[in-house]
Amino acid sequence: MTPTSKTAIYPGSFNPFTLGHLSIVERGLKVFDKIVVAVGCNECKSRRGDDFSGRVESIRRVFEDEPRVEVITYSGLTADEAVRLGACAILRGVRSVADFETERQMADVNRDLCGIDTYILCSLPEYGFLSGSMVRELEHFGADVSKYLPKEKTK
Ligand code: ADP
């Protein structure tokens, strides 16, 4: 990456990383030179049965052929991580008005903390209902969730 290249951090829990998340990264790559998918682990240690490192590894496999995407873990403030990475933007997605209110608040806080703006993409209509929590719940009750996840995830 050159000093002028544009890196965005895409922070989230990605539990699991869905096709909705993937579409945000793919669309973000049209604008940014590099996207760092930053998997937050603030709560991971307290959640029983949560395979955090397995989740991170499966996201890395999704992007193993895409050198412009890096997958990292972080704890602490997203604003601090964005500064550490030299990111020019924080990337996020919204599915609904409810999402938007939360995202706007976080965007305001992060801009206040580190001066970095958040770029929010609207979800594709076909992924507007898709969330990590919904996939986890369906999985819990034995549903086949593979159609909501990137192909590599089901290897
Ligand atoms: P968090 O726990 O920080 O909300 P998530 O992993 O749930 O992290 O989501 C990360 C980001 O991706 C958030 O901005 C969220 O709104 C967005 N996102 C989640 N699912 C979708 C989807 N189906 N389409 C578009 N954006 C999504």
Side-chain angles (χ1 to χ4, degrees):
M1 293 288 136
T2 67
T4 54
S5 67
K6 291 184 169 26
T7 295
I9 178 174
Y10 181 32
S13 48
F14 306 116
N15 187 17
F17 190 88
T18 68
L19 289 176
H21 296 128
L22 178 61
S23 82
I24 297 294
V25 175
E26 287 173 342
R27 292 159 67 208
L29 283 173
K30 294 177 186 166
V31 178
F32 299 105
D33 300 305
K34 177 178 175 181
I35 293 181
V36 179
V37 177
V39 190
C41 65
N42 287 341
E43 299 159 41
C44 61
K45 293 188 186 78
S46 60
R47 269 196 217 131
R48 285 170 48 135
D50 183 4
D51 179 10
F52 183 73
S53 53
R55 193 192 325 158
V56 173
E57 282 317 309
S58 73
I59 302 172
R60 289 203 171 114
R61 281 199 297 277
V62 171
F63 295 108
E64 62 191 0
D65 295 328
E66 178 46 85
R68 294 198 296 143
V69 176
E70 187 185 346
V71 181
I72 65 163
T73 65
Y74 77 109
S75 56
L77 294 175
T78 297
D80 290 342
E81 196 58 28
V83 171
R84 194 187 69 77
L85 291 166
C88 66
I90 298 168
L91 182 62
R92 295 283 287 180
V94 291
R95 290 153 292 193
S96 62
V97 174
D99 270 359
F100 177 75
E101 286 305 330
T102 314
E103 294 295 339
R104 179 167 59 184
Q105 194 179 19
M106 277 195 292
D108 287 343
V109 170
N110 284 324
R111 191 186 315 101
D112 200 47
L113 287 173
C114 68
I116 298 176
D117 261 316
T118 298
Y119 289 71
I120 301 176
L121 287 175
C122 293
S123 68
L124 294 180
E126 59 267 41
Y127 301 138
F129 65 93
L130 195 50
S131 68
S133 57
M134 187 206 76
V135 170
R136 286 201 305 280
E137 180 140 358
L138 291 176
E139 212 165 23
H140 177 75
F141 290 106
D144 176 10
V145 295
S146 58
K147 66 178 170 182
Y148 302 128
L149 305 176
K151 286 257 175 341
E152 292 75 0
K153 177 69 172 64
T154 58
K155 262 198 238 173

PDB file of all heavy atoms in Angstrom, residues 131-153:
ATOM      1  N   SER A 131     -29.019 -11.120   9.804  1.00  0.00           N
ATOM      2  CA  SER A 131     -28.164 -10.661  10.911  1.00  0.00           C
ATOM      3  C   SER A 131     -27.476 -11.873  11.529  1.00  0.00           C
ATOM      4  O   SER A 131     -27.969 -13.012  11.426  1.00  0.00           O
ATOM      5  CB  SER A 131     -28.995  -9.951  11.977  1.00  0.00           C
ATOM      6  OG  SER A 131     -29.839 -10.882  12.629  1.00  0.00           O
ATOM      7  N   GLY A 132     -26.349 -11.619  12.183  1.00  0.00           N
ATOM      8  CA  GLY A 132     -25.635 -12.691  12.860  1.00  0.00           C
ATOM      9  C   GLY A 132     -26.510 -13.356  13.901  1.00  0.00           C
ATOM     10  O   GLY A 132     -26.547 -14.589  14.006  1.00  0.00           O
ATOM     11  N   SER A 133     -27.262 -12.553  14.648  1.00  0.00           N
ATOM     12  CA  SER A 133     -28.091 -13.136  15.718  1.00  0.00           C
ATOM     13  C   SER A 133     -29.185 -14.035  15.138  1.00  0.00           C
ATOM     14  O   SER A 133     -29.499 -15.085  15.693  1.00  0.00           O
ATOM     15  CB  SER A 133     -28.682 -12.045  16.607  1.00  0.00           C
ATOM     16  OG  SER A 133     -29.419 -11.151  15.831  1.00  0.00           O
ATOM     17  N   MET A 134     -29.742 -13.631  13.980  1.00  0.00           N
ATOM     18  CA  MET A 134     -30.768 -14.471  13.365  1.00  0.00           C
ATOM     19  C   MET A 134     -30.170 -15.810  12.922  1.00  0.00           C
ATOM     20  O   MET A 134     -30.751 -16.873  13.154  1.00  0.00           O
ATOM     21  CB  MET A 134     -31.381 -13.742  12.161  1.00  0.00           C
ATOM     22  CG  MET A 134     -32.565 -14.469  11.565  1.00  0.00           C
ATOM     23  SD  MET A 134     -32.787 -14.056   9.834  1.00  0.00           S
ATOM     24  CE  MET A 134     -31.482 -15.007   9.081  1.00  0.00           C
ATOM     25  N   VAL A 135     -28.984 -15.756  12.321  1.00  0.00           N
ATOM     26  CA  VAL A 135     -28.333 -16.996  11.873  1.00  0.00           C
ATOM     27  C   VAL A 135     -28.025 -17.889  13.075  1.00  0.00           C
ATOM     28  O   VAL A 135     -28.249 -19.102  13.039  1.00  0.00           O
ATOM     29  CB  VAL A 135     -27.040 -16.671  11.073  1.00  0.00           C
ATOM     30  CG1 VAL A 135     -26.224 -17.941  10.825  1.00  0.00           C
ATOM     31  CG2 VAL A 135     -27.387 -15.999   9.757  1.00  0.00           C
ATOM     32  N   ARG A 136     -27.545 -17.284  14.169  1.00  0.00           N
ATOM     33  CA  ARG A 136     -27.227 -18.095  15.369  1.00  0.00           C
ATOM     34  C   ARG A 136     -28.481 -18.778  15.905  1.00  0.00           C
ATOM     35  O   ARG A 136     -28.471 -19.938  16.296  1.00  0.00           O
ATOM     36  CB  ARG A 136     -26.622 -17.209  16.468  1.00  0.00           C
ATOM     37  CG  ARG A 136     -25.205 -16.777  16.204  1.00  0.00           C
ATOM     38  CD  ARG A 136     -24.501 -16.354  17.493  1.00  0.00           C
ATOM     39  NE  ARG A 136     -25.190 -15.326  18.241  1.00  0.00           N
ATOM     40  CZ  ARG A 136     -25.152 -14.017  17.962  1.00  0.00           C
ATOM     41  NH1 ARG A 136     -24.471 -13.579  16.915  1.00  0.00           N
ATOM     42  NH2 ARG A 136     -25.799 -13.141  18.703  1.00  0.00           N
ATOM     43  N   GLU A 137     -29.576 -18.034  15.913  1.00  0.00           N
ATOM     44  CA  GLU A 137     -30.827 -18.598  16.439  1.00  0.00           C
ATOM     45  C   GLU A 137     -31.321 -19.750  15.564  1.00  0.00           C
ATOM     46  O   GLU A 137     -31.706 -20.811  16.057  1.00  0.00           O
ATOM     47  CB  GLU A 137     -31.888 -17.495  16.523  1.00  0.00           C
ATOM     48  CG  GLU A 137     -33.198 -18.007  17.063  1.00  0.00           C
ATOM     49  CD  GLU A 137     -33.851 -17.027  18.008  1.00  0.00           C
ATOM     50  OE1 GLU A 137     -33.257 -15.963  18.279  1.00  0.00           O
ATOM     51  OE2 GLU A 137     -34.966 -17.332  18.467  1.00  0.00           O
ATOM     52  N   LEU A 138     -31.292 -19.541  14.242  1.00  0.00           N
ATOM     53  CA  LEU A 138     -31.720 -20.610  13.323  1.00  0.00           C
ATOM     54  C   LEU A 138     -30.844 -21.852  13.497  1.00  0.00           C
ATOM     55  O   LEU A 138     -31.339 -22.982  13.538  1.00  0.00           O
ATOM     56  CB  LEU A 138     -31.642 -20.123  11.872  1.00  0.00           C
ATOM     57  CG  LEU A 138     -32.645 -19.051  11.456  1.00  0.00           C
ATOM     58  CD1 LEU A 138     -32.372 -18.595  10.029  1.00  0.00           C
ATOM     59  CD2 LEU A 138     -34.080 -19.563  11.570  1.00  0.00           C
ATOM     60  N   GLU A 139     -29.529 -21.610  13.623  1.00  0.00           N
ATOM     61  CA  GLU A 139     -28.577 -22.711  13.788  1.00  0.00           C
ATOM     62  C   GLU A 139     -28.884 -23.484  15.076  1.00  0.00           C
ATOM     63  O   GLU A 139     -28.846 -24.714  15.114  1.00  0.00           O
ATOM     64  CB  GLU A 139     -27.164 -22.135  13.846  1.00  0.00           C
ATOM     65  CG  GLU A 139     -26.108 -23.026  13.265  1.00  0.00           C
ATOM     66  CD  GLU A 139     -24.807 -22.269  13.020  1.00  0.00           C
ATOM     67  OE1 GLU A 139     -24.569 -21.217  13.662  1.00  0.00           O
ATOM     68  OE2 GLU A 139     -24.015 -22.730  12.186  1.00  0.00           O
ATOM     69  N   HIS A 140     -29.186 -22.726  16.117  1.00  0.00           N
ATOM     70  CA  HIS A 140     -29.489 -23.327  17.419  1.00  0.00           C
ATOM     71  C   HIS A 140     -30.652 -24.316  17.311  1.00  0.00           C
ATOM     72  O   HIS A 140     -30.669 -25.360  17.957  1.00  0.00           O
ATOM     73  CB  HIS A 140     -29.819 -22.207  18.416  1.00  0.00           C
ATOM     74  CG  HIS A 140     -30.207 -22.701  19.764  1.00  0.00           C
ATOM     75  ND1 HIS A 140     -29.279 -23.202  20.661  1.00  0.00           N
ATOM     76  CD2 HIS A 140     -31.422 -22.801  20.382  1.00  0.00           C
ATOM     77  CE1 HIS A 140     -29.906 -23.569  21.765  1.00  0.00           C
ATOM     78  NE2 HIS A 140     -31.202 -23.342  21.623  1.00  0.00           N
ATOM     79  N   PHE A 141     -31.615 -23.970  16.444  1.00  0.00           N
ATOM     80  CA  PHE A 141     -32.783 -24.838  16.306  1.00  0.00           C
ATOM     81  C   PHE A 141     -32.659 -25.808  15.130  1.00  0.00           C
ATOM     82  O   PHE A 141     -33.640 -26.390  14.680  1.00  0.00           O
ATOM     83  CB  PHE A 141     -34.059 -24.002  16.205  1.00  0.00           C
ATOM     84  CG  PHE A 141     -34.413 -23.332  17.500  1.00  0.00           C
ATOM     85  CD1 PHE A 141     -34.228 -21.962  17.662  1.00  0.00           C
ATOM     86  CD2 PHE A 141     -34.874 -24.070  18.587  1.00  0.00           C
ATOM     87  CE1 PHE A 141     -34.533 -21.340  18.869  1.00  0.00           C
ATOM     88  CE2 PHE A 141     -35.173 -23.462  19.798  1.00  0.00           C
ATOM     89  CZ  PHE A 141     -34.995 -22.096  19.942  1.00  0.00           C
ATOM     90  N   GLY A 142     -31.430 -25.945  14.624  1.00  0.00           N
ATOM     91  CA  GLY A 142     -31.156 -26.997  13.642  1.00  0.00           C
ATOM     92  C   GLY A 142     -31.426 -26.651  12.192  1.00  0.00           C
ATOM     93  O   GLY A 142     -31.404 -27.547  11.335  1.00  0.00           O
ATOM     94  N   ALA A 143     -31.706 -25.381  11.897  1.00  0.00           N
ATOM     95  CA  ALA A 143     -31.967 -25.017  10.497  1.00  0.00           C
ATOM     96  C   ALA A 143     -30.659 -25.003   9.703  1.00  0.00           C
ATOM     97  O   ALA A 143     -29.585 -24.785  10.267  1.00  0.00           O
ATOM     98  CB  ALA A 143     -32.626 -23.632  10.434  1.00  0.00           C
ATOM     99  N   ASP A 144     -30.774 -25.232   8.383  1.00  0.00           N
ATOM    100  CA  ASP A 144     -29.602 -25.145   7.507  1.00  0.00           C
ATOM    101  C   ASP A 144     -29.379 -23.670   7.177  1.00  0.00           C
ATOM    102  O   ASP A 144     -30.185 -23.055   6.489  1.00  0.00           O
ATOM    103  CB  ASP A 144     -29.866 -25.949   6.227  1.00  0.00           C
ATOM    104  CG  ASP A 144     -28.730 -25.812   5.233  1.00  0.00           C
ATOM    105  OD1 ASP A 144     -27.664 -25.261   5.599  1.00  0.00           O
ATOM    106  OD2 ASP A 144     -28.914 -26.264   4.082  1.00  0.00           O
ATOM    107  N   VAL A 145     -28.284 -23.127   7.694  1.00  0.00           N
ATOM    108  CA  VAL A 145     -28.042 -21.689   7.505  1.00  0.00           C
ATOM    109  C   VAL A 145     -26.997 -21.428   6.414  1.00  0.00           C
ATOM    110  O   VAL A 145     -26.599 -20.288   6.196  1.00  0.00           O
ATOM    111  CB  VAL A 145     -27.585 -21.011   8.826  1.00  0.00           C
ATOM    112  CG1 VAL A 145     -28.690 -21.056   9.863  1.00  0.00           C
ATOM    113  CG2 VAL A 145     -26.303 -21.655   9.364  1.00  0.00           C
ATOM    114  N   SER A 146     -26.557 -22.488   5.713  1.00  0.00           N
ATOM    115  CA  SER A 146     -25.437 -22.326   4.775  1.00  0.00           C
ATOM    116  C   SER A 146     -25.741 -21.301   3.684  1.00  0.00           C
ATOM    117  O   SER A 146     -24.840 -20.642   3.180  1.00  0.00           O
ATOM    118  CB  SER A 146     -25.041 -23.670   4.170  1.00  0.00           C
ATOM    119  OG  SER A 146     -26.139 -24.249   3.521  1.00  0.00           O
ATOM    120  N   LYS A 147     -27.024 -21.151   3.331  1.00  0.00           N
ATOM    121  CA  LYS A 147     -27.326 -20.202   2.252  1.00  0.00           C
ATOM    122  C   LYS A 147     -27.146 -18.742   2.682  1.00  0.00           C
ATOM    123  O   LYS A 147     -27.183 -17.845   1.846  1.00  0.00           O
ATOM    124  CB  LYS A 147     -28.737 -20.426   1.712  1.00  0.00           C
ATOM    125  CG  LYS A 147     -29.842 -20.122   2.683  1.00  0.00           C
ATOM    126  CD  LYS A 147     -31.183 -20.333   1.988  1.00  0.00           C
ATOM    127  CE  LYS A 147     -32.311 -20.268   2.979  1.00  0.00           C
ATOM    128  NZ  LYS A 147     -33.611 -20.505   2.350  1.00  0.00           N
ATOM    129  N   TYR A 148     -26.980 -18.525   3.976  1.00  0.00           N
ATOM    130  CA  TYR A 148     -26.773 -17.151   4.455  1.00  0.00           C
ATOM    131  C   TYR A 148     -25.297 -16.819   4.652  1.00  0.00           C
ATOM    132  O   TYR A 148     -24.952 -15.706   5.023  1.00  0.00           O
ATOM    133  CB  TYR A 148     -27.496 -16.930   5.786  1.00  0.00           C
ATOM    134  CG  TYR A 148     -28.982 -17.193   5.708  1.00  0.00           C
ATOM    135  CD1 TYR A 148     -29.604 -18.056   6.611  1.00  0.00           C
ATOM    136  CD2 TYR A 148     -29.757 -16.590   4.734  1.00  0.00           C
ATOM    137  CE1 TYR A 148     -30.966 -18.303   6.534  1.00  0.00           C
ATOM    138  CE2 TYR A 148     -31.113 -16.836   4.643  1.00  0.00           C
ATOM    139  CZ  TYR A 148     -31.703 -17.700   5.550  1.00  0.00           C
ATOM    140  OH  TYR A 148     -33.038 -17.946   5.473  1.00  0.00           O
ATOM    141  N   LEU A 149     -24.430 -17.821   4.439  1.00  0.00           N
ATOM    142  CA  LEU A 149     -23.015 -17.656   4.760  1.00  0.00           C
ATOM    143  C   LEU A 149     -22.165 -17.768   3.496  1.00  0.00           C
ATOM    144  O   LEU A 149     -22.546 -18.479   2.559  1.00  0.00           O
ATOM    145  CB  LEU A 149     -22.581 -18.737   5.762  1.00  0.00           C
ATOM    146  CG  LEU A 149     -23.421 -18.808   7.041  1.00  0.00           C
ATOM    147  CD1 LEU A 149     -22.955 -19.973   7.906  1.00  0.00           C
ATOM    148  CD2 LEU A 149     -23.332 -17.503   7.823  1.00  0.00           C
ATOM    149  N   PRO A 150     -21.007 -17.076   3.478  1.00  0.00           N
ATOM    150  CA  PRO A 150     -20.125 -17.221   2.321  1.00  0.00           C
ATOM    151  C   PRO A 150     -19.752 -18.688   2.145  1.00  0.00           C
ATOM    152  O   PRO A 150     -19.630 -19.416   3.131  1.00  0.00           O
ATOM    153  CB  PRO A 150     -18.896 -16.391   2.701  1.00  0.00           C
ATOM    154  CG  PRO A 150     -19.357 -15.458   3.764  1.00  0.00           C
ATOM    155  CD  PRO A 150     -20.464 -16.149   4.487  1.00  0.00           C
ATOM    156  N   LYS A 151     -19.548 -19.103   0.897  1.00  0.00           N
ATOM    157  CA  LYS A 151     -19.263 -20.508   0.558  1.00  0.00           C
ATOM    158  C   LYS A 151     -18.142 -21.105   1.423  1.00  0.00           C
ATOM    159  O   LYS A 151     -18.267 -22.198   1.947  1.00  0.00           O
ATOM    160  CB  LYS A 151     -18.841 -20.632  -0.901  1.00  0.00           C
ATOM    161  CG  LYS A 151     -19.956 -20.483  -1.905  1.00  0.00           C
ATOM    162  CD  LYS A 151     -20.395 -21.826  -2.454  1.00  0.00           C
ATOM    163  CE  LYS A 151     -21.589 -21.781  -3.386  1.00  0.00           C
ATOM    164  NZ  LYS A 151     -22.453 -20.618  -3.346  1.00  0.00           N
ATOM    165  N   GLU A 152     -17.058 -20.338   1.542  1.00  0.00           N
ATOM    166  CA  GLU A 152     -15.879 -20.845   2.244  1.00  0.00           C
ATOM    167  C   GLU A 152     -16.193 -21.235   3.684  1.00  0.00           C
ATOM    168  O   GLU A 152     -15.559 -22.090   4.253  1.00  0.00           O
ATOM    169  CB  GLU A 152     -14.768 -19.784   2.240  1.00  0.00           C
ATOM    170  CG  GLU A 152     -14.177 -19.523   0.874  1.00  0.00           C
ATOM    171  CD  GLU A 152     -15.074 -18.695  -0.032  1.00  0.00           C
ATOM    172  OE1 GLU A 152     -16.191 -18.305   0.375  1.00  0.00           O
ATOM    173  OE2 GLU A 152     -14.670 -18.437  -1.158  1.00  0.00           O
ATOM    174  N   LYS A 153     -17.205 -20.578   4.237  1.00  0.00           N
ATOM    175  CA  LYS A 153     -17.581 -20.826   5.627  1.00  0.00           C
ATOM    176  C   LYS A 153     -18.075 -22.260   5.827  1.00  0.00           C
ATOM    177  O   LYS A 153     -17.977 -22.829   6.889  1.00  0.00           O
ATOM    178  CB  LYS A 153     -18.678 -19.817   6.017  1.00  0.00           C
ATOM    179  CG  LYS A 153     -19.236 -19.970   7.398  1.00  0.00           C
ATOM    180  CD  LYS A 153     -18.202 -19.596   8.456  1.00  0.00           C
ATOM    181  CE  LYS A 153     -18.812 -19.566   9.832  1.00  0.00           C
ATOM    182  NZ  LYS A 153     -19.293 -20.861  10.264  1.00  0.00           N
TER     183      LYS A 153
END
